[in-house]
Amino acid sequence: MDLLQTYADKSDGEDQSHQPSTSSPDSSPPRLIPSKSAAPKVDDTMLALTVAKAHQSHSKPIDPKQHVVAFNPTYDQLWAPIYGPAHPYAKDGIAQGMRNHKLGFVEDAAIESFVFDEQYNTFHKYGYAADPSGNNYIGDLDALQKNDAISVYNIPQHEQKKRKIEKMKDVEMEDEVVGGEHEVDPTEIDNPASDVWLMKNKKSPWAGKKEGVQTELTEEQKKYAEEYAKKKEEKGHSGEKGEHLVDKTTFHGKEERDYQGRSWIAPPKDAKATNDHCYIPKRLIHTWSGHTKGVSAIRFFPKYGHLILSAGMDTKVKIWDVFNSGKCMRTYMGHSKAVRDISFCNDGTKFLTAGYDKNIKYWDTETGQVISTFSTGKIPYVVKLNPDEDKQNILLAGMSDKKIVQWDINTGQTTQEYDQHLGAVNTITFVDNNRRFVTSSDDKSLRVWEFGIPVVIKYISEPHMHSMPAISLHPNTNWLAAQSLDNQILIYSTRERFQLNKKKRFAGHIVAGYACQVNFSPDGRFVMSGDGEGKCWFWDWKSCKVFRTLKCHEGVCIGCEWHPLEQSKVATCGWDGLIKYW
């Protein structure tokens, strides 16, 4: 109580000092407690400065070199181009992160080429240059002050005038020397080491160019000109596009037409599938040997398989009888280098060949005549006709220069170019009722195209992916099997997403470095592939387990095809020059 009383007295005293007391002695005195803050004192000068700075820098982009941002930047500031205007290729300038090329990202264009050249040459001449990261200069600052910060392309007018006067003086001096107004020592005029002689004999770099123009050629020059013209003419026919070779063909059968007038390529009347169930072959039935070098590809005659076409590295293409005699029926010779790929049209009456001589040839199967030849001057790695019946005149070829070129066979004109790959194109596979096609390339990616439209609609490229030099379509058209060079076969769906099926993976064979063909049995139950050790591997589609391996060839077994009708027969080809029928 005593303490309270003391406190009251104290406050009374304080109040009286401020204002005269009007209260009666009995009433309790008014209590005014001074306000106190529990928060520590804050120095807010830095805060004020920061706010001011933030207001200043709202218009400026953030300097990428600074480590601390003292304010909360806007989205536009964070994505603003570093210096100068946005790159012309960037549509909105910023949101794409300087994506300034149709194929990817190119480094930021932070300084224009003219400005760079100006500063580069200024630095080499005067020893200073403007610092691109700010408004200051780097280099020799004394020289900077002395020259008044001029650049090589920014010479002041008085300097230009000075130079003009110096030039005129030089010309006058030259005239005087030539005119002989000055007394000049005659020995100096004849002495090539003296300045006088140099002045007198100075010529422009173009002096005398028009003088000695020959009107007539010597015999030797005429001869050389004729030879050159002849060579150029030959090159015009072949060298620029592809190497030219006379097309020849040889028929090896007994007769081209039988007693009923049917052609030798006509399928047998009784050829039809024996059953719907495929079985894996166990033994060798027949061997065709006629190629002097390796065989790079084989194709059965469409739908019937009574003939088999083979492309050899000996530049020849041969067609063999499968059903009856088992002999070679015709040899087609038109390429000057190894043949890389072959492809039948839908009815088998014509086929395409692609060779390392840069030519694509369209042959008549029956007569062996070359209907037309196509070339872009680059090596075609894969050739395909559009599988639609009404588009059998459209040819697609994947080239070594990263393009897929489309021709109209009837007119011989290039109608489209699909140019997005970054490496040579290895395969073309039509999917989705032939409305789209999938291509693989040495750039380790898959790209999906809408037929006729040269824009990629799906691009598949992962860091773990390898190059896929062979792709095959499953008989139900829902899946693609891709031979990957990390010794496995990967399965992609052909539906909208083109996703990798991670549950299906076929491995065990060694194909690294070889474009071994992968294929399916006609009923889709088995997957098969050649390998680098001459074996042919068979896997079960459902379980992904190895079903059987056959040792087929010495060296690489590069191609394998399942017979379209005989459900348990398979043909393989290898780099030993043999084609085997199992």
Side-chain angles (χ1 to χ4, degrees), residues 508-552:
H509 57 324
I510 309 284
V511 286
Y514 304 104
C516 294
Q517 196 183 335
V518 57
N519 233 311
F520 289 97
S521 60
D523 63 356
R525 284 176 58 229
F526 299 109
V527 182
M528 69 166 172
S529 162
D531 86 343
E533 296 175 341
K535 292 177 188 167
C536 187
W537 291 68
F538 297 88
W539 292 268
D540 185 82
W541 169 253
K542 277 189 177 170
S543 67
C544 301
K545 288 179 180 168
V546 178
F547 207 91
R548 182 171 297 151
T549 58
L550 294 173
K551 175 68 176 161
C552 300

Side-chain angles (χ1 to χ4, degrees), residues 61-271:
I62 292 168
D63 182 5
K65 287 186 181 172
Q66 71 185 66
H67 298 295
V68 178
V69 180
F71 62 95
N72 208 4
T74 62
Y75 173 86
D76 293 329
Q77 277 175 281
L78 286 172
W79 282 98
I82 297 171
Y83 290 110
H87 200 280
Y89 283 122
K91 286 190 185 79
D92 47 7
I94 42 193
Q96 290 192 330
M98 300 300 281
R99 180 189 169 91
N100 48 19
H101 190 271
K102 62 181 179 176
L103 297 181
F105 300 93
V106 177
E107 281 187 12
D108 303 342
I111 185 166
E112 287 177 25
S113 57
F114 173 76
V115 178
F116 176 81
D117 286 345
E118 183 185 26
Q119 296 305 327
Y120 177 82
N121 291 320
T122 303
F123 188 80
H124 278 274
K125 184 167 185 186
Y126 298 120
Y128 59 83
D131 185 355
S133 64
N135 295 329
N136 52 338
Y137 281 82
I138 52 167
D140 188 352
L141 299 178
D142 297 335
L144 176 78
Q145 284 177 341
K146 188 179 163 189
N147 294 319
D148 200 21
I150 59 162
S151 74
V152 283
Y153 300 148
N154 187 16
I155 299 164
Q157 274 194 328
H158 66 268
E159 186 83 14
Q160 288 176 359
K161 217 170 186 182
K162 207 160 107 187
R163 289 188 182 187
K164 259 186 194 170
I165 292 164
E166 280 175 11
K167 218 174 192 179
M168 282 166 74
K169 275 183 186 171
D170 286 349
V171 173
E172 281 170 20
M173 187 182 161
E174 193 178 329
D175 291 343
E176 282 170 13
V177 169
V178 174
E181 287 173 17
H182 283 287
E183 283 188 23
V184 179
D185 188 357
T187 53
E188 277 197 22
I189 295 173
D190 298 332
N191 181 11
S194 68
D195 290 340
V196 180
W197 186 90
L198 285 173
M199 281 290 186
K200 194 177 177 183
N201 293 288
K202 191 165 79 171
K203 280 186 178 181
S204 81
W206 295 275
K209 289 283 179 194
K210 283 184 183 174
E211 290 167 18
V213 176
Q214 277 187 318
T215 47
E216 281 191 31
L217 299 172
T218 63
E219 283 300 314
E220 199 176 323
Q221 285 171 326
K222 276 181 189 169
K223 193 180 173 188
Y224 178 78
E226 280 168 20
E227 279 177 18
Y228 181 75
K230 201 185 280 181
K231 267 186 194 171
K232 202 168 185 186
E233 200 178 321
E234 283 171 18
K235 210 173 187 183
H237 287 304
S238 60
E240 189 55 43
K241 290 288 184 184
E243 293 170 34
H244 189 67
L245 195 76
V246 179
D247 305 314
K248 290 189 291 186
T249 181
T250 312
F251 183 69
H252 305 292
K254 285 182 184 171
E255 50 202 1
E256 295 202 21
R257 298 195 171 274
D258 65 1
Y259 67 97
Q260 287 183 319
R262 286 181 308 192
S263 166
W264 63 273
I265 67 162
K269 289 265 177 80
D270 56 345

